[in-house]
Amino acid sequence: IRLMDLSYRTDRFQESITWGLRGINTKQNGFGKKPEPQIEQELLYRLALAYIKLENFEEANNTLTALLSRHPQNQFRLDALYHHGLVLLTRGKMVEAIACLQQVSESTATSNAKRRHALRLISMHFREIGQHEPAAQALLTLKQISGEGAQHNLKLDELVWMGRYLHGKGEYKKVLHLLEPLSSMNTKLSAAARGEVLFLIARCHRQLNDHESAIIAYRRVVAISSKYDLQAILELGHSLKDAGHYEQAIEEYTGLMNSPRAAMSAEAELNCGQIYRAIAHRMILAGNTQGAQTAKQNARKLLLRLILLRSDPGISPLGELGHLELAEVEQELGKPQIAIDLYRELLQKFPN
């Protein structure tokens, strides 16, 4: 064992293997008998490490299998499981590898470095096969064992993935806690990564009805130019609308009305029409009848454009909502027959 260790420490891995095999072999070890269990455990463990260094993963696998099957509670068990998991990964045996790594990750007797690496590999595997719950649990455990400032012990792709996952679960405050430290301009991120981080932050603020914070985040998404630009402009319009900033919302929606994406154009037209109806209501309360009529006419134009140009069933239910909104506007403008015709058209076009 000492000769094995000396050879290993001086990077003579094949020589270390030669000493190890000699120690295990009854005819060569000079004692004429098998080594005692505790000695055999160490010989097998050190052999496996030397095989790994030489990238002889088949022999490493055989050696670790022998160690864990002959001595299931050996003194090197957790380290052996860790290395066995890594070796099995190189051989494409994912299920067996993850089983080994999970045992390592669950034990507090394992070093934190090995636990973190095991958890990271477990999460990566489950993300790749689309099993989000165990992937998230692995990252949450990794975060917990790292203590304060744990988000910095997760890699960028892990942080963003966790943000997406938690957003999908409705855990908006947790997303903000996780991602807002990344939104600082001092954090080095690519434009694409920063765009996604800010987009998730904006969506969380909006879901929490913090419209002013959402507006700031959406504007930052648009400013850096990413693949989320158009969707960010649309949702910026929604936040401005919800916050009562009607003129600014109309400006954002107007820029989307000629978008090649029919659903986005339709949504902009529908929301813009709804804003003009809200403006009309404000003006009625203020006694401005003429201004209210003008706002209703603007709503009518947009909603009519929506139902005439956006007939694709793929944008449902925007077409149906456009019919309903327009029918109500026509009735408010004193044209009940047109409203009735729109309701009938709605039933005819969308029987279900």
Side-chain angles (χ1 to χ4, degrees), residues 293 328-338:
Q293 287 295 104
E328 290 176 10
V329 171
E330 295 289 7
Q331 190 166 352
E332 290 168 4
L333 288 170
K335 299 175 181 177
Q337 188 54 52
I338 295 178

Side-chain angles (χ1 to χ4, degrees), residues 248-280:
Q248 293 179 56
I250 288 170
E251 186 179 341
E252 300 298 339
Y253 287 136
T254 301
L256 295 173
M257 287 181 192
N258 293 316
S259 167
R261 294 161 64 176
M264 185 167 286
S265 297
E267 193 167 350
E269 289 158 356
L270 177 65
N271 279 274
C272 216
Q274 290 171 339
I275 287 175
Y276 277 119
R277 291 191 69 195
I279 290 172

Side-chain angles (χ1 to χ4, degrees), residues 206 233-243 249 253 267 271:
R206 183 160 179 258
I233 292 171
L234 180 65
E235 295 182 21
L236 170 59
H238 296 341
S239 290
L240 289 164
K241 175 186 171 187
D242 293 339
Y253 287 136
E267 193 167 350
N271 279 274

